[in-house]
Amino acid sequence: MQKQLLLGDEAIAQGAIDAGLSGIYAYPGTPSTEITQYVIDSKEAKEKGIVATWTANEKTSAEAALGMSYAGKRSMVCMKHVGLNVAADVFINSSITGANGGIIYVVADDPSMHSSQNEQDSRFYGKFAMMPILEPVDQQEAYDMVHYGFDLSEKFGIPVMLRITTRLAHSRAGVARKTSRGQNQLKLPENLKQFILLPAIARKQYKDLLNNQPHFEAAAENSPFNSYTDGKDKSMGIIACGLAHNYLMENYPDRNVPYPVLKVSQYPVPTKMVEKIYEECDSVLVLEEGYPLLEELLRGLLNKGKKVKGRLDGTVPRDGELNPVIVGAALGFDIPELREIPSLVANRPPSLCKGCSHIDSYYGLNEALEKYGKGRVFADIGCYTLGALAPYDAINTCVDMGASITMAKGAADAGLQPAVAVIGDSTFTHSGITGLLDAINDKSNITVMILDNATTGMTGGQPSSAFGKIEDICKGLGVEEDHIRVIKPLAKNHEENLKVIAEELEYQGVSVIIPRRECIQTLNKRMREKFKAKAKAEQAGK
Amino acid sequence: MKKDIILAGVGGQGILSIAAIIGYAAVETGLYLKQAEVHGMSQRGGDVQSNLRLSDKPVASDLIPHGKADMILSVEPMESLRYLPFLSPEGWLVTNTKPFINIPNYPDEAAIMAEIKKLPRHVALDAETIAKDLGTVKAANIVMLGAASPFLGLEYGKLKDAIEFFFGRKGADLVELNLKALEAGRKFAEENKN
């Protein structure tokens, strides 16, 4: 079969479709979004009856996937690294329930924070949960590991983590497909108490998980994705995890590395393989895309053994994404003399789109807050976080999904009056609702602006779970009807909107303002499609 | 054969469509390819780049090493300079001269051109005007692809096939227009390469 050019994300999606997937669940998050989007758009997936859907948040995604595993079918849940913080509860506990049908958590990390607020390394979560982890080196491995990962999950009755990073997620290469296999039949777990984590049962299940660890490790020792390649020069051995292996190879154009190399793409860490390279070589260089997980283990707290080089001793920078030159320097190659960027080149940060509704919302809010002074706007995660930049300079916090409302509440409780929360429609249903309930129950004095652009904008316009439901949700939670104010953020409505915002800032209690206007990107897309459909209809009518 | 190309521009300018056409031609030629893209936040009007690597041997790194790019192909003049540390001593810089100004401190255009002209191998052209003369400004990216075509190491016919593949669904007129745009860019590069 001819190879298909696929993004790493798309390779995983196609891998899942071909490996007998029954359901995929996700909340959009860069760099993981394209996995689920691919399955949603796939004709083949539709014909196979695969469930592919966006959910309210990563926790609900993961729980739905676990439910599908309970019912005996293969499921996948995809998220960005910080999404796993949201899904951590089910993630950790699902290694104790174990799996019935195969289940894979795909977690996409973002070293160098291209589109994120931190660069946490999800392999630590996998280790914490004592779950096998797969870390592909390229698009083909990403594809192959889905099939393999489902088999691993079903063989040991354990969920499996597939960990990727931005560079693989958003890079394209040729991928050869396998023969497609069918889905599992509906089949309940043999032990109907397996998924009841009452202490008495959980203790037993946890022991099973502990007893299974040597088996998981043996699987890693024998994994087709882990390999040991000998080298003549034993002054140094190299352990390269995941993508780091590519950067290592890039430094040797003929691909002949003079040192022994251990490629690690399946965890738990294959101890015997690590021991072999450690014993054979005078020193060890550890290359990892992310935090120094394996390096820290090998080095130990006291670091009294052989020399271990990597991120902890400064051979490799402590933070940020790897690249061929960083790895080359760690290998002792000279950094080539490079052209410089001319000093006139200016930074070009991302910005709100021309015509974006958030611009009008921020101009209204800024003016209404002028008389109170700066420092009272608690924002959230989405396009509107760009309100932090000039010329808006409109927000003061951005921490995690939903934190706008709850941080505003805390600051209001401390006496900051007025305190404003700014949150998008999709982020509101992701993690804002419960915080709003807290504020209502405590009669906290906050003004919440739910910027409703009817989509999940930053990740490319996926449907928002909040669509058409925001007022009802607010009413249901107990926001007084008079203090749920819908405005249309347009320059021509500025004075009118300003008045509404000013009134609600003065109100003592929870008030909600909903600036509502469709995202300019989704609007344009919709218009283009409408135009195309019209042209097509006219063509057909001729 | 190895060609490492940095495609540069501003989010929304459509550099990925250029990458897709080159990628298709490369695959049809039987080459290995890796192409790293930028998705997410930067796509909102920020600087974006794509690392496109073609080779007759399997490609290891998704990222082009510093100082190894055979070409910077930029649809915006200031953005063409941002990636100079990646350009090899023998590499080509092919850039559009029409600025995309969405920041208040955009530098003086003449100063940008002076920097571009310092490079021993460069092609600089006003792709918008050339495309407009052909009938639509939308073909500017294909003009840029044409200007890069003499240095890509791909058969010109394969690029034309790729244009037919990508625009074929949209009708014969668009195919012809884009083939003309490709040719116009190529002609400019042949006549004005420095």
Side-chain angles (χ1 to χ4, degrees), chain A residues 56-351:
Chain A
N57 65 38
E58 292 85 354
K59 180 175 181 286
T60 64
S61 295
E63 288 156 351
L66 188 63
M68 187 165 270
S69 166
Y70 172 92
K73 297 199 176 181
R74 296 189 189 103
S75 64
M76 180 175 268
V77 49
C78 312
M79 61 198 78
K80 67 182 295 169
H81 57 339
V82 287
L84 185 53
N85 297 334
V86 178
D89 206 355
V90 52
F91 177 77
I92 303 289
N93 286 312
S94 67
S95 71
I96 300 177
T97 63
N100 184 24
I103 171 170
I104 298 178
Y105 290 87
V106 185
V107 190
D109 293 355
D110 191 17
S112 280
M113 307 178 217
H114 299 282
S115 259
S116 308
Q117 66 270 48
N118 75 31
E119 58 174 27
Q120 66 186 56
D121 184 333
S122 299
R123 295 177 304 162
F124 281 84
Y125 262 116
K127 186 173 181 298
F128 186 33
M130 291 181 264
M131 198 183 274
I133 308 167
L134 302 171
E135 189 187 13
V137 72
D138 60 20
Q139 294 77 354
Q140 185 67 54
E141 272 196 6
Y143 175 91
D144 294 339
M145 277 178 172
V146 178
H147 202 105
Y148 178 87
F150 279 134
D151 287 351
L152 192 67
S153 174
E154 288 177 2
K155 180 177 176 193
F156 291 112
I158 183 81
V160 168
M161 172 190 274
L162 178 58
R163 185 250 186 180
I164 58 169
T165 56
T166 308
R167 205 49 70 186
L168 178 59
H170 290 164
S171 176
R172 241 171 253 283
V175 173
R177 285 173 63 181
K178 290 180 196 292
T179 318
S180 172
R181 70 176 173 194
Q183 295 178 34
N184 285 351
Q185 296 298 313
L186 191 70
K187 182 175 171 285
L188 291 175
E190 273 166 34
N191 169 11
L192 283 177
K193 295 203 161 76
Q194 181 190 332
F195 285 76
I196 308 174
L197 295 185
L198 267 173
I201 301 169
R203 277 182 214 116
K204 186 193 161 294
Q205 299 262 126
Y206 181 53
K207 279 212 168 68
D208 290 346
L209 176 66
L210 294 173
N211 291 335
N212 253 330
Q213 293 303 306
H215 300 300
F216 298 169
E217 195 174 320
E221 301 279 0
N222 298 310
S223 169
F225 303 110
N226 292 344
S227 63
Y228 184 92
T229 310
D230 206 3
K232 275 194 194 130
D233 186 347
K234 311 281 189 205
S235 65
M236 182 169 78
I238 302 169
I239 301 176
C241 303
L243 272 199
H245 192 261
N246 291 345
Y247 301 132
L248 169 64
M249 288 301 155
E250 185 68 34
N251 277 282
Y252 298 94
D254 58 0
R255 308 292 184 246
N256 284 323
V257 184
Y259 310 104
V261 174
L262 173 59
K263 169 184 179 284
V264 178
S265 283
Q266 182 175 338
Y267 308 77
V269 175
T271 311
K272 283 188 193 129
M273 295 176 109
V274 172
E275 190 179 7
K276 179 175 159 71
I277 202 163
Y278 186 85
E279 292 300 334
E280 282 182 1
C281 301
D282 302 336
S283 66
V284 180
L285 170 66
V286 187
L287 300 169
E288 300 175 85
E289 185 74 297
Y291 290 4
L293 181 145
L294 205 153
E295 183 187 346
E296 205 166 20
L297 288 172
L298 188 59
R299 188 182 198 252
L301 184 61
L302 300 179
N303 192 22
K304 284 186 167 174
K306 283 181 184 172
K307 182 146 184 66
V308 175
K309 296 183 279 189
R311 289 195 188 264
L312 292 171
D313 79 331
T315 304
V316 178
R318 185 64 180 76
D319 62 339
E321 191 182 8
L322 298 176
N323 65 40
V325 169
I326 287 174
V327 171
L331 293 165
F333 292 112
D334 291 334
I335 295 175
E337 205 170 306
L338 303 173
R339 288 195 172 88
E340 284 180 12
I341 303 173
S343 57
L344 61 81
V345 175
N347 284 336
R348 200 189 300 255
S351 55

Side-chain angles (χ1 to χ4, degrees), chain A residues 237-476:
Chain A
I238 302 169
I239 301 176
C241 303
L243 272 199
H245 192 261
N246 291 345
Y247 301 132
L248 169 64
M249 288 301 155
E250 185 68 34
N251 277 282
Y252 298 94
D254 58 0
R255 308 292 184 246
N256 284 323
V257 184
Y259 310 104
V261 174
L262 173 59
K263 169 184 179 284
V264 178
S265 283
Q266 182 175 338
Y267 308 77
V269 175
T271 311
K272 283 188 193 129
M273 295 176 109
V274 172
E275 190 179 7
K276 179 175 159 71
I277 202 163
Y278 186 85
E279 292 300 334
E280 282 182 1
C281 301
D282 302 336
S283 66
V284 180
L285 170 66
V286 187
L287 300 169
E288 300 175 85
E289 185 74 297
Y291 290 4
L293 181 145
L294 205 153
E295 183 187 346
E296 205 166 20
L297 288 172
L298 188 59
R299 188 182 198 252
L301 184 61
L302 300 179
N303 192 22
K304 284 186 167 174
K306 283 181 184 172
K307 182 146 184 66
V308 175
K309 296 183 279 189
R311 289 195 188 264
L312 292 171
D313 79 331
T315 304
V316 178
R318 185 64 180 76
D319 62 339
E321 191 182 8
L322 298 176
N323 65 40
V325 169
I326 287 174
V327 171
L331 293 165
F333 292 112
D334 291 334
I335 295 175
E337 205 170 306
L338 303 173
R339 288 195 172 88
E340 284 180 12
I341 303 173
S343 57
L344 61 81
V345 175
N347 284 336
R348 200 189 300 255
S351 55
L352 292 171
C353 304
K354 206 177 157 202
C356 172
S357 58
H358 301 330
I359 295 174
D360 299 302
S361 297
Y362 278 136
Y363 282 143
L365 179 62
N366 277 354
E367 197 174 331
L369 281 171
E370 254 168 35
K371 67 172 179 179
Y372 305 101
K374 285 205 167 292
R376 47 186 80 244
V377 181
F378 301 84
D380 228 297
I381 314 261
C383 288
Y384 48 91
T385 317
L386 295 170
L389 307 175
Y392 317 106
D393 190 19
I395 64 167
N396 305 105
T397 70
C398 159
V399 182
D400 67 274
M401 295 286 282
S404 57
I405 297 176
T406 29
M407 283 183 73
K409 174 194 171 0
D413 291 349
L416 186 73
Q417 305 282 332
V420 181
V422 173
I423 186 168
D425 51 328
S426 182
T427 308
F428 176 64
T429 40
H430 180 290
S431 288
I433 297 174
T434 46
L436 185 57
L437 183 60
D438 281 350
I440 290 161
N441 287 343
D442 283 358
K443 298 190 169 53
S444 300
N445 189 10
I446 61 169
T447 305
V448 180
M449 287 181 84
I450 304 174
L451 308 183
D452 183 10
N453 62 358
T455 191
T456 314
M458 182 61 94
T459 47
Q462 292 74 25
S464 162
S465 295
F467 187 72
K469 299 188 173 74
I470 297 174
E471 289 94 313
D472 285 343
I473 290 170
C474 293
K475 267 184 236 166

